[in-house]
Amino acid sequence: MARALALLALLCLLPALSLAEIPCGSMCSTPQADGELCDQYSATGFLGVAEGGVGWYESQTGTFQLVLPPTATSVETAFLYWAGIVTGSNCAALDDVTLTVDGTVHTVAAEVVYGPASWFGTKRHCVYAACVTNLIPSTTSTIVVSQSGNWYAAYGSGVIAIYEDATSFTSPREVRVKQGLDGGFCGWQPSARGDNEPNCFSFTASTSDRLAEMVLLTGGVDIGGSELRGNTAWYWSGLGSNAPASLYGAAGATPLASTQFFASNKGSEFDIVGFQGPLAQGDDTICYQVQSRDIAGYVGNQLCSSLLSFGSVVVLDRPRWPV
């Protein structure tokens, strides 16, 4: 089954704070079980983002490297996420994992659980988030995340780490994180449950063009054999007062791929995908929206992927980065 989560998200309208003061912040809550992600973190500084993860669909354990540059001096904030589908409504039964960092073993409990959110029949989506700032070193590390719980479908686990690097970055950068639970499946069109929600982030307008780098965490897209799955993500930037209610086909919105933008790149049914988008001078808002869709559009359910979005990160540089 294909289902994508955009697990991790970006942009918060909170004042810029030192992460030494607030490593992760209180975990944000969403207004509904399945919908727009919430603003979790916001900071400005000489900051970079490292991300890594592994799919759990075949085995509820996996190893990955979290790569930080040698010029990184500290990890300011780090989030651990895991997500999947359970039978029934007991998300709490799967709310801890074993996290091994360079051979040191830790048990990590979720600080917030998003869900259970109805998916189909008795199946429910669950997304978990925890602050692991004190467990992630400021060098490249080997990470194993595992769990022995009883999932219907375990999507995977990922880490997003925000680090300080005043050598690589010569001007301050704005970092935002969003997280939550937002599912969509084009086989359920035209009902509202067929669509994922747009997520928008606001900044102070600048007299210079800027470039945003974004990372999305999603689950549920199953790529098997030579099958081609229909899915993409849309990007829009402009004035917040003009932001469309949906980015799908909206004026000024751009699809980031014709199909298969998410393709199980971290293992079956789990993706961590990055991309860039512009923010022109005078504009103050960036939006993205993931989309489950059939190869030929919303026509039946042919090679349609379910898509769970549960996290995103945005980094906005000042001035515009070289392209």
Side-chain angles (χ1 to χ4, degrees):
M1 123 149 249
R3 165 97 173 122
L5 315 154
L7 146 326
L8 219 10
L10 329 146
L11 300 186
C12 206
L13 299 181
L14 301 176
L17 295 171
S18 163
L19 294 182
E21 297 173 32
I22 301 183
C24 292
S26 299
M27 292 293 174
C28 65
S29 60
T30 54
Q32 51 193 13
D34 187 334
E36 183 181 355
L37 307 185
C38 58
D39 296 319
Q40 175 56 40
Y41 174 80
S42 174
T44 300
F46 300 101
L47 302 174
V49 174
E51 71 283 337
V54 63
W56 277 356
Y57 193 75
E58 283 84 13
S59 172
Q60 288 165 220
T61 186
T63 302
F64 61 92
Q65 279 204 316
L66 188 67
V67 179
L68 277 72
T71 47
T73 55
S74 64
V75 171
E76 300 295 306
T77 298
F79 297 96
L80 171 66
Y81 300 92
W82 61 102
I85 300 175
V86 302
T87 299
S89 57
N90 188 11
C91 288
L94 299 165
D95 67 354
D96 61 6
V97 296
T98 300
L99 174 71
T100 304
V101 182
D102 291 335
T104 301
V105 180
H106 310 273
T107 298
V108 177
E111 294 175 45
V112 65
V113 178
Y114 300 104
S118 178
W119 190 229
F120 66 93
T122 61
K123 311 309 183 210
R124 304 290 185 268
H125 267 132
C126 302
V127 172
Y128 307 83
C131 181
V132 292
T133 306
N134 295 333
L135 306 181
I136 304 299
S138 58
T139 57
T140 294
S141 55
T142 299
I143 294 177
V144 182
V145 187
S146 59
Q147 189 187 65
S148 57
N150 185 22
W151 295 84
Y152 172 77
Y155 289 153
S157 175
V159 170
I160 290 177
I162 299 158
Y163 60 86
E164 186 171 15
D165 184 354
T167 300
S168 299
F169 308 120
T170 57
S171 62
R173 312 167 88 212
E174 298 180 60
V175 179
R176 307 287 190 272
V177 175
K178 281 183 178 283
Q179 61 191 35
L181 188 161
D182 175 29
F185 179 49
C186 75
W188 289 328
Q189 286 291 342
S191 72
R193 292 186 65 211
D195 288 341
N196 295 89
E197 298 298 320
N199 286 280
C200 296
F201 313 99
S202 300
F203 298 91
T204 301
S206 171
T207 56
S208 301
D209 290 343
R210 293 174 287 178
L211 189 66
E213 288 194 348
M214 303 181 72
V215 176
L216 307 181
L217 284 74
T218 65
V221 175
D222 178 19
I223 304 298
S226 59
E227 292 178 346
L228 183 65
R229 297 286 182 177
N231 64 74
T232 191
W234 292 75
Y235 179 87
W236 179 92
S237 63
L239 291 174
S241 57
N242 297 331
S246 172
L247 272 57
Y248 301 162
T254 303
L256 299 175
S258 58
T259 190
Q260 204 153 294
F261 185 68
F262 304 101
S264 298
N265 71 1
K266 294 299 181 182
S268 183
E269 306 222 10
F270 187 61
D271 284 275
I272 301 178
V273 178
F275 62 94
Q276 294 182 335
L279 183 63
Q281 61 178 353
D283 288 340
D284 60 7
T285 300
I286 292 168
C287 302
Y288 77 91
Q289 187 174 5
V290 303
Q291 183 181 29
S292 167
R293 63 182 183 182
D294 191 278
I295 297 297
Y298 288 140
V299 181
N301 184 19
Q302 189 175 25
L303 296 183
C304 184
S305 293
S306 61
L307 189 59
L308 174 62
S309 167
F310 58 92
S312 57
V313 176
V314 168
V315 179
L316 186 66
D317 213 11
R318 302 180 297 184
R320 179 175 178 146
W321 301 339
V323 177

